[in-house]
Amino acid sequence: TLSLKPGPRYDVPDWNTNSVLISTNAERQRSASHQIRQEARQLRNETTNQTRWDEHDTRTRLSDRIDDVDRWKETLARCLMDIEAEINNLVQMKEEAERALQAKNLPLDVVIECLTLRERSEEH
């Protein structure tokens, strides 16, 4: 069988003192909790703002870099076309020079043959 022990008895002033201590402790914990929530909210807002700014800055710099690369690509493509055109012009000029040189060789061969025939006829 269960024995019923009487619990400790509190006087009214002790009860009130204990109640005030519990209430004060609860109020202090509630205030600390509220402060922590406020700091967390502020930190979250600062982090969100910093993240958004960093993302914007990164996107802007990346976009600028892409534009730079595109400009360089266009510049290099134009340079390549200019170089190819210059090579084609040089090849054409070389072929014309070779044809002109060959055209000069025929009269030179005729002159050499004439001189050779003259020298032979003078020797005889």
Side-chain angles (χ1 to χ4, degrees), residues 3 15 20-22 24 31 34 36 40 48 50 52 56-57 61 63 71 74 83 88 96 99-100 104 109 115-116:
S3 68
W15 183 272
V20 168
L21 284 174
I22 291 172
T24 303
S31 177
H34 177 73
I36 290 171
T48 299
Q50 186 65 43
R52 286 181 181 161
H56 171 72
D57 185 47
R61 287 189 293 123
S63 175
R71 279 194 296 276
E74 291 171 5
I83 290 171
N88 289 336
E96 289 175 8
R99 282 194 298 271
K104 297 285 183 188
D109 290 343
L115 287 175
T116 304

Side-chain angles (χ1 to χ4, degrees), residues 18-30:
N18 192 28
S19 177
V20 168
L21 284 174
I22 291 172
S23 178
T24 303
N25 189 22
E27 183 63 31
R28 191 175 58 244
Q29 287 180 353
R30 191 169 61 80

